Amino acid sequence: MNIQGWGEIALTLGLACLLGRPIGVYMSRVWNGERTWLDPVMKPVEGVFYKLGGVDPARSQGWLGYAGALLAFNLAGFLFLYAMLRLQGVLPLNPQGFDGVSPHLAFNTAVSFVTNTNWQSYGGETTMSSLTQMAGLTVQNFVSAATGATIAAALARAFIANRGSGVGNFWADLVRTTLWLLLPLSFVLAIVLVGLGVTQTLAANATATTLEGGQQTLSLFQTASQLAIKQLGINGGGVFNANSAHPFENPTPLTNLITAVSINVMGWAAFFAFGRSVLAKKEARALATAAFLILFACTAGIYVAESQPAPALVAAGIEQPVNMEGKETRFGLAASSAWAGQTTGASNGSVNAMHGSLMPLSGGLTMFLMALGEILPGGIGSGIAIMVVMAMLSVFVAGLMVGRTPEYLGKKIEAREIQFAMIAVLVLPLAILGFTAIAAVLPTAMEGLLNHGPHGLSEMLYAYISASANNGSAFAGLTANAPWWNTTLGISMLAGRFVPAVAVLAIAGTLVAKPRLAPSTGTLPTHGPLFIGLLIGVILILGGLQFFPALSLGPIVEHFQMLAAGAGV
Amino acid sequence: MTQVAIDHASHRTALAGGLSGAILGRALRDAFVKLNPVKLVRNPVIFTTWIVALLATVSAAAGIGSGQGFGFALQLALWLWATVLFANVAESVAEGRGKAAADSLRATRVTTKAKLIVDPITGAIVPTPAHELDVGAIILVEAGDVIASDGEIIEGVASVNEAAITGESAPVIRESGGDRSAVTGGTTVVSDWIKVRITAKPGATFLDRMIAMVEGADRRKTPNELALGVLLAGLTLVFLIAVVTLLGLGAYSGVKLDPIVLGALFITLIPTTIGGLLSAVGIAGMDRLLKVNVLATSGRAVEAAGDVDTLLLDKTGTITFGNRMAVEVIPVPGVRPEAALRAAIMGSLADETPEGRSIIELGRNAGLSLSLPVGARAIPFSAVTRQSGVDAGGKTWRKGAVDAVLKTVGLDEGQAPAEFRQAVDRIARSGGTPLAVAEDGVLVGVIHLKDVVKPGVKERFADLRRMGLRTVMITGDNPVTAAAIASEAGVDDFLAEATPEDKMRLIKAEQARGRLVAMCGDGANDAPALAQADVGVAMQTGAQAAREAGNMVDLDSDPTKVIEIVEVGKQLLITRGALTTFSIANDVAKYFAIIPAMFVVGLPALGALNIMGLHSPQSAILSAVIFNALVIIALIPLALRGVKYRAIGAGKLLSRNLLIYGLGGLVAPFVGIKLIDIVISALGLA
């Protein structure tokens, strides 16, 4: 640990949050249909989509209509991608001549990209053709991110409405988020990244002569364009298997900083956009502050844990000041720690270091960050949406203590809202703990494990947490390209994405019809330090209570065993 | 004079007694009766505990938990049963007071026969049992008779003892016509006779409803209770998942888990504390209302009371004493103040109106006690003369409307002394009433009559403002008078020259702005507004229509009571929130007790999580279960009494309660479990 390292972490995390503000204001304008400077370019393009789809963008849908459209669109996206993956071998733009992928891998991959998870049971450069990467995966990188944003847009409309009915038009939200927000920002970022040395070409491979005089074939790909939306869309699925540890994807410390910041910037932007759209900027800032504090604390924990040499190695007299296993020396400890925190706090899942090689406690922290439901700041829109659910639960539990029935942002929180909030909360432990417990006693599943004992449990737990929380990062060590893993992880991703999404839209549906109440001095203030502390407490206790037993058998016991091993030698 | 600051001790109530031994005995009996699973299903958390206790008992008996020893398994099973039982005790104790009150009410039910008038012309009567009286039947009630059912007086006037309902033994006058024509079944006519038309169906009288309410017979879950129930059920599911999946995770880790221990972990994690106390909190809330002699028709109304944003208060009787009172006598130039006061008193000695007596009272406070001279002649007030007074010993004293008195003393308006005219103006502008005083045909001064704001009202309204409530004064006065009183009383707003329609409009306008409104009323014309308001408190002495429209009835007919009702509502919600927070915060410590205990044999490294340094795995698990059961008992008094409400603003209130029940909930079980562990390991129980 050193000042420079702390500075690096503070800069990366802080910059993302600060940049999120102006982008959030813009995002809110896009959601609200206010005027923007891109209107002259995008309005005509937008119109074409509506005409083709026969959609009236001004018609506000009820929550069921909205959710139905969302599910239908994603189902279509899944089927399209599945077909493309299976037929890859006979489709054009396949310079490396890859075959179609197996049914279970195609299912897993299609689900993974549609759900904004980008879990990759495969190595990109050795499995996917250029067509699949560009027209299949990258397209989903855009629209799955936009789908997340629509959830927050609908929820915002529900809060601002006073005895309203519709929560907005899904198609309009989808098209506008993609055209106004994701495309232009990715375009700019991709250009910048190309300028900084990230590859971008349709050519197949480059051949290099190594120092020993051997020949090495290097995959190049159109990396920059994918990388931009991989980060901004909080997708995380890399072109290369090594993801952002690969020198073509992340060549310099500067690209590392830019891509690290872009992991979280859109998540934060959605927080601020929600606040502006609901006329509750102070409240949204409180949510962001709570999320930022947890994220920073956990990232700091990772940095501290990684700065300790393994006790057993110290005892064995091996010189190793910090834990550098699985990290890129180009980036070092602080940048790797910051990335690990950011990518798991958001539902990104890109990595610039191997999480399986983290110290047990940091590995546990990355799992904990994801298991909190990807709200720090999470995916675009999906993060703030679940954060609002957490705020509603906090208000509900503790808010009674001011002597009023609970309300949040002017809306009463009653049985229906709590019911859907609990459904949104329940799906994560159900998928994560349920599948892990089954896999833990299933020989078929355990064939995929590299390690046994607590580390093996961590490998499984991490995989299901990552999939259910739609993160997509991997712990390494687990060979997931097998029917059991591809199928159950695919189901986890589906459950983790669409159950909370529909639950949040259902909450929007009940809230939209309620009167928006005026606050009084008797109303629980939901913007001060007190509320921030309360919210942090509820998030940590709720998350901790669900996953503490499982984590104690994985990373926690591994940590104590590591300490004991060090002391024992 | 009634005091605004309500003194609990003065509220003798027939309904709410203390917690006597008899009530406790019955509660314990009921607690066992409530073990019936069919009844427990209503409470998912406690029902789940019941199932686990049963499973634990069966497996203890079958020796399934033999790995841990029979004695240990049996102890665990017994404490799980105790958890269920303690939750039942909480509910029974809460119900106990209501049941006792219901019993005393039942005793007042009419057993004698009513005198049913079968022929209106001859007045022939037929003795008929009360339960055979239909709506519309007309009965005769004479002195000494108990009124058989609710009804309306169609003929006659009588004094009625309503002690059975209100606990107030002083009889009240009930007469046909107007807002005082309603009578309640179970009350007794003390003098005279009345003819009553029955308005309530048999079994649906006010008394019947009251019995049902205090007994909690038709207690339905309130919206907030329902929502909280969903949350608790959800949390129970979360912990079910967390505990059941430990079977697989434990097997992988090479730890053999005892099902009884898993069951124990599950029960300690699910929110049994709030689950066990939730209904007791709700019942106790109704009970606290009963204690101040207010009857709520539903728990929903009590909950709404906590949420009220705007309070509509009638000026008369609530903010001011009902009558104008003399506050000063201003002499005309050349007359000494004492002389003017003396003249005012002399002119009022024969005046029995409240205004007149207030003048005598004013003199007494100034040390001037006079009595009517022998042979004095009282000159009563008449609408023509608009003055009253006394003639005695050749002298005359008159007081009355300024223009009338001036005419009597032979002065025009303009001829009166300037100081006098200024005083009259000042009094009128401040919302008061000037009365001119003349002695022996000479003008001596002016009495200032004023609507006096009750003492303590201003402070009470300041409290309400801190609670986030807006107060609106409703008055029939003109805007000038209304404004003067409003500013003196410190209300936030006022509605002057108010008609019932204005009141209704105001309520609807407030509600449209997203505010909840509370009001009280007694007249028939208040009924629509009472029904429209979120909390409508009807006065027991009021019209039948009002009593039916409101969702609460104040048996004391004290309009200031609405303030207390709001506090009871808030207290109820705070108690519920405090216990929920406490319950959930408790779980952290339980993990630190049970998780290491469960796994330490297979994974010794996890012994490091035993931060409480508990004696053995068995004692750790048992301590957690015992703490979990005992905490319910420990919190019953708090659930019944309620967390004290303080008008200190939402932010401060939250930080205070979070500190006590959130942080306290985190810390308390660490201490409690450790202490229990010390005790049971010393006793050799585990």
Side-chain angles (χ1 to χ4, degrees):
Chain A
M1 281 185 289
N2 52 38
I3 295 284
Q4 193 201 338
W6 284 114
E8 237 176 287
I9 290 173
L11 178 73
T12 330
L13 267 59
L15 208 56
C17 199
L18 287 179
L19 279 175
R21 240 187 101 84
I23 298 178
V25 172
Y26 175 70
M27 192 184 284
S28 160
R29 296 185 72 92
V30 173
W31 287 353
N32 298 353
E34 295 169 51
R35 261 189 32 194
T36 66
W37 57 275
L38 269 178
D39 286 1
V41 188
M42 292 302 180
K43 279 271 180 202
V45 186
E46 182 193 24
V48 173
F49 281 105
Y50 298 145
K51 201 160 261 172
L52 285 176
V55 170
D56 173 11
R59 198 181 65 84
S60 189
Q61 295 166 302
W63 82 268
L64 270 173
Y66 199 97
L70 184 148
L71 292 177
F73 175 74
N74 280 275
L75 177 66
F78 164 78
L79 293 174
F80 179 74
L81 187 53
Y82 182 82
M84 182 183 271
L85 287 164
R86 298 283 290 139
L87 300 172
Q88 176 175 270
V90 297
L91 292 172
L93 278 177
N94 185 3
Q96 295 98 328
F98 294 133
D99 285 337
V101 304
S102 68
H104 56 84
L105 180 59
F107 166 73
N108 182 285
T109 306
V111 166
S112 174
F113 278 78
V114 167
T115 57
N116 197 240
T117 310
N118 296 29
W119 169 273
Q120 291 163 298
S121 288
Y122 59 90
E125 61 269 52
T126 54
T127 320
M128 298 301 169
S129 72
S130 293
L131 180 77
T132 310
Q133 297 266 21
M134 284 193 303
L137 305 182
T138 307
V139 167
Q140 280 304 326
N141 276 352
F142 278 96
V143 293
S144 69
T147 298
T150 62
I151 301 167
L155 188 62
R157 289 189 196 107
F159 272 107
I160 197 74
N162 189 11
R163 296 181 213 272
S165 54
V167 295
N169 187 296
F170 170 75
W171 304 108
D173 286 341
L174 179 79
V175 169
R176 291 182 64 86
T177 306
T178 312
L179 290 184
W180 265 261
L181 213 63
L182 296 174
L183 272 176
L185 283 173
S186 303
F187 182 76
V188 172
L189 183 60
I191 298 288
V192 170
L193 290 172
V194 169
L196 292 171
V198 176
T199 57
Q200 178 78 11
T201 171
L202 281 174
N205 300 318
T207 309
T209 309
T210 63
L211 284 177
E212 294 90 33
Q215 295 283 311
Q216 191 182 4
T217 308
L218 300 170
S219 303
L220 293 173
F221 289 109
Q222 48 295 348
T223 314
S225 58
Q226 263 218 48
L227 175 60
I229 186 63
K230 161 192 138 185
Q231 301 302 80
L232 288 175
I234 320 189
N235 294 285
V239 176
F240 297 101
N241 192 22
N243 209 300
S244 284
H246 195 291
F248 288 172
E249 218 168 309
N250 194 0
T252 66
L254 185 58
T255 57
N256 189 67
L257 177 69
I258 293 173
T259 46
V261 165
S262 51
I263 290 176
N264 280 3
V265 69
M266 298 299 278
W268 292 125
F271 272 65
F272 295 117
F274 180 83
R276 184 178 177 274
S277 286
V278 179
L279 303 179
K281 286 187 192 168
K282 273 192 290 185
E283 284 78 2
R285 204 166 357 169
L287 297 182
T289 308
F292 188 85
L293 288 175
I294 301 177
L295 179 64
F296 192 85
C298 289
T299 308
I302 294 172
Y303 184 47
V304 171
E306 292 305 303
S307 301
Q308 319 293 324
L313 293 179
V314 175
I318 298 168
E319 193 100 13
Q320 195 207 26
V322 295
N323 177 33
M324 278 306 288
E325 184 192 312
K327 294 187 183 63
E328 263 287 286
T329 46
R330 290 182 296 133
F331 306 132
L333 202 60
S336 301
S337 303
W339 192 297
Q342 285 191 300
T343 193
T344 49
S347 68
N348 184 278
S350 65
V351 291
N352 73 351
M354 294 301 114
H355 288 185
S357 298
L358 293 174
M359 294 300 250
L361 279 190
S362 353
L365 279 171
T366 56
M367 287 188 230
F368 187 60
L369 280 170
M370 291 188 283
L372 291 180
E374 297 299 19
I375 48 177
L376 317 167
I380 308 176
S382 56
I384 176 69
I386 299 299
M387 193 63 170
V388 169
V389 169
M390 298 311 288
M392 284 165 60
L393 287 176
S394 308
V395 162
F396 187 80
V397 172
L400 281 174
M401 286 195 292
V402 303
R404 290 172 73 94
T405 60
E407 59 191 73
Y408 186 61
L409 305 181
K411 298 278 182 161
K412 280 262 177 256
I413 311 297
E414 289 164 308
R416 295 268 290 169
E417 290 80 23
I418 293 298
Q419 192 182 328
F420 291 120
M422 287 317 286
I423 290 173
V425 168
L426 262 170
V427 67
L428 280 192
L430 186 63
I432 294 168
L433 298 173
F435 277 128
T436 309
I438 296 170
V441 292
L442 203 67
T444 327
M446 282 196 284
E447 277 168 18
L449 297 184
L450 179 68
N451 299 83
H452 290 278
H455 199 76
L457 187 70
S458 294
E459 286 171 10
M460 294 189 280
L461 194 58
Y462 193 104
Y464 284 115
I465 292 179
S466 174
S468 306
N470 299 138
N471 182 281
S473 65
F475 200 52
L478 179 73
T479 308
N481 191 6
W484 163 266
W485 288 104
N486 274 335
T487 311
T488 55
L489 288 171
I491 294 170
S492 304
M493 289 187 262
L494 284 174
R497 176 68 163 184
F498 294 111
V499 173
V502 172
V504 167
L505 288 176
I507 291 174
T510 69
L511 289 183
V512 74
K514 294 190 177 188
R516 189 174 158 95
L517 307 174
S520 77
T521 51
T523 314
L524 173 74
T526 48
H527 51 76
L530 186 67
F531 181 74
I532 293 173
L534 169 69
L535 182 59
I536 292 176
V538 167
I539 291 171
L540 293 183
I541 289 185
L542 207 62
L545 288 179
Q546 296 173 61
F547 298 105
F548 183 74
L551 289 175
S552 68
L553 290 176
I556 295 176
V557 70
E558 198 185 351
H559 170 75
F560 287 121
Q561 285 176 345
M562 180 183 79
L563 294 183
V569 174
Chain B
M1 293 288 165
T2 42
Q3 284 284 306
V4 164
I6 286 163
D7 177 7
H8 282 273
S10 74
H11 280 258
R12 48 8 18 187
T13 78
L15 299 172
L19 202 58
S20 69
I23 290 178
L24 265 179
R26 180 151 87 173
L28 277 176
R29 239 186 2 264
D30 286 351
F32 281 94
V33 175
K34 282 172 191 275
L35 284 176
N36 180 353
V38 181
K39 293 200 172 137
L40 275 183
V41 172
R42 254 171 72 91
N43 187 339
V45 176
I46 299 304
F47 183 63
T48 308
T49 313
W50 186 93
I51 293 174
V52 174
L54 189 70
L55 291 176
T57 313
V58 170
S59 41
I64 295 172
S66 55
Q68 308 270 6
F70 174 72
F72 174 70
L74 190 69
Q75 284 190 64
L76 274 186
L78 284 177
W79 279 106
L80 293 180
W81 282 118
T83 312
V84 180
L85 209 56
F86 292 167
N88 289 349
V89 168
E91 196 179 71
S92 304
V93 169
E95 285 169 351
R97 286 198 278 211
K99 280 191 175 158
D103 284 349
S104 73
L105 284 174
R106 250 189 220 106
T108 67
R109 264 198 187 142
V110 187
T111 44
T112 52
K113 290 186 174 169
K115 297 167 181 165
L116 178 67
I117 300 176
V118 285
D119 187 343
I121 297 152
T122 62
I125 56 172
V126 173
T128 312
H131 60 84
E132 282 175 21
L133 292 173
D134 277 330
V135 175
I138 292 166
I139 57 170
L140 175 71
V141 194
E142 293 170 297
D145 290 351
V146 176
I147 302 172
S149 182
D150 298 354
E152 203 164 344
I153 302 174
I154 53 168
E155 195 184 332
V157 50
S159 61
V160 179
N161 183 338
E162 298 190 335
I165 304 289
T166 64
E168 173 65 70
S169 56
V172 292
I173 301 294
R174 295 291 186 173
E175 59 191 324
S176 60
D179 287 341
R180 300 281 176 270
S181 63
V183 288
T184 312
T187 57
T188 312
V189 171
V190 190
S191 69
D192 307 289
W193 59 268
I194 43 177
K195 282 184 185 167
V196 174
R197 186 174 51 230
I198 303 298
T199 53
K201 284 196 197 113
T205 64
F206 187 69
L207 196 62
D208 290 316
R209 279 193 292 150
M210 213 164 140
I211 291 169
M213 271 183 286
V214 297
E215 225 175 15
D218 60 348
R219 212 180 87 78
R220 287 193 192 86
K221 287 189 178 173
T222 63
N224 182 254
E225 266 181 314
L226 278 176
L228 196 53
V230 171
L231 180 85
L232 299 183
L235 285 176
T236 305
L237 269 178
V238 166
F239 291 122
L240 186 67
I241 295 166
V243 171
V244 168
T245 54
L246 274 181
L247 282 171
L249 301 179
Y252 169 91
S253 308
V255 182
K256 196 177 159 353
L257 292 168
D258 186 339
I260 295 188
V261 172
L262 275 184
L265 173 65
F266 176 54
I267 294 307
T268 54
L269 290 179
I270 63 174
T272 46
T273 313
I274 178 65
L277 295 172
L278 186 57
S279 62
V281 171
I283 297 167
M286 303 275 277
D287 204 55
R288 275 194 295 277
L289 270 188
L290 267 183
K291 264 193 176 163
V292 294
N293 259 4
V294 173
L295 212 60
T297 55
S298 70
R300 182 188 282 257
V302 188
E303 224 164 61
D307 281 351
V308 163
D309 303 279
T310 306
L311 213 52
L312 303 191
L313 297 164
D314 280 326
K315 182 202 76 177
T316 307
T318 311
I319 295 170
T320 63
F321 294 111
N323 311 298
R324 292 168 303 173
M325 300 200 324
V327 288
E328 59 179 333
V329 178
I330 304 153
V332 296
V335 176
R336 283 178 302 111
E338 303 86 63
L341 180 59
R342 173 178 290 269
I345 297 167
M346 287 308 294
S348 308
L349 282 174
D351 184 354
E352 288 300 322
T353 65
E355 286 87 354
R357 273 175 300 180
S358 79
I359 295 168
I360 297 167
E361 180 71 26
L362 182 71
R364 195 172 298 132
N365 289 343
L368 203 59
S369 271
L370 303 173
S371 52
L372 209 56
V374 183
R377 195 165 67 88
I379 311 296
F381 178 87
S382 84
V384 181
T385 61
R386 292 191 295 133
Q387 52 190 296
S388 64
V390 170
D391 289 355
K395 289 175 75 74
T396 64
W397 295 274
R398 293 287 180 276
K399 68 170 205 310
V402 173
D403 55 339
V405 173
L406 285 180
K407 205 169 165 190
T408 309
V409 299
L411 289 173
D412 284 341
E413 289 258 3
Q415 290 172 312
E419 287 84 350
F420 175 85
R421 276 179 290 144
Q422 278 160 13
V424 167
D425 269 2
R426 180 171 60 79
I427 293 166
R429 262 203 317 279
S430 73
T433 309
L435 286 186
V437 183
E439 189 175 24
D440 297 334
V442 179
L443 186 68
V444 293
V446 56
I447 303 170
H448 183 176
L449 281 184
K450 168 177 179 192
D451 224 354
V452 178
V453 172
K454 292 182 176 181
V457 158
K458 196 164 187 164
E459 292 72 22
R460 203 72 192 258
F461 290 158
D463 275 356
L464 287 173
R465 204 165 298 117
R466 273 195 294 278
M467 287 158 72
L469 267 78
R470 234 165 58 86
T471 43
V472 181
M473 183 182 84
I474 311 285
T475 173
D477 291 343
N478 64 56
V480 176
T481 311
I485 294 169
S487 85
E488 194 183 336
V491 292
D492 296 305
D493 204 352
F494 64 89
L495 184 66
E497 289 170 351
T499 62
E501 293 74 37
D502 290 339
K503 215 163 165 176
M504 189 74 173
R505 249 196 307 279
L506 179 66
I507 293 174
K508 283 187 174 160
E510 288 286 310
Q511 286 172 335
R513 259 175 265 157
R515 299 196 180 118
L516 267 70
V517 183
M519 67 164 286
C520 53
D522 56 358
N525 57 12
D526 281 332
L530 279 171
Q532 178 71 30
D534 301 281
V535 176
V537 186
M539 302 294 113
Q540 158 67 13
T541 53
Q544 184 68 20
R547 290 194 334 198
E548 275 168 15
N551 48 15
M552 293 196 191
V553 178
D554 178 17
L555 302 176
D556 294 338
S557 305
D558 171 4
T560 59
K561 204 66 88 52
V562 65
I563 298 170
E564 251 173 323
I565 292 170
V566 169
E567 285 187 0
V568 169
K570 287 195 176 294
Q571 204 183 12
L572 170 80
L573 295 171
I574 292 174
T575 309
R576 207 180 273 160
L579 292 175
T580 308
T581 308
F582 187 84
S583 191
I584 295 172
N586 268 335
D587 281 356
V588 176
K590 292 171 187 166
Y591 264 142
F592 280 98
I594 297 187
I595 293 282
M598 266 200 311
F599 295 127
V600 76
V601 179
L603 300 165
L606 279 181
L609 289 179
N610 183 8
I611 53 175
M612 282 178 271
L614 302 178
H615 175 68
S616 69
Q618 293 197 342
S619 73
I621 293 162
L622 197 56
S623 305
V625 173
I626 294 176
F627 176 84
N628 193 52
L630 290 184
V631 79
I632 297 179
I633 289 286
L635 290 174
I636 288 178
L638 181 71
L640 295 186
R641 200 179 60 236
V643 173
K644 193 168 157 46
Y645 176 75
R646 286 156 212 273
I648 50 176
K652 274 190 192 153
L653 197 61
L654 180 67
S655 61
R656 191 193 150 80
N657 286 333
L658 263 185
L659 198 68
I660 298 174
Y661 301 100
L663 202 61
L666 272 178
V667 175
F670 278 103
V671 178
I673 291 174
K674 178 68 187 172
L675 288 177
I676 295 171
D677 181 71
I678 292 171
V679 171
I680 60 174
S681 55
L683 292 176
L685 290 172

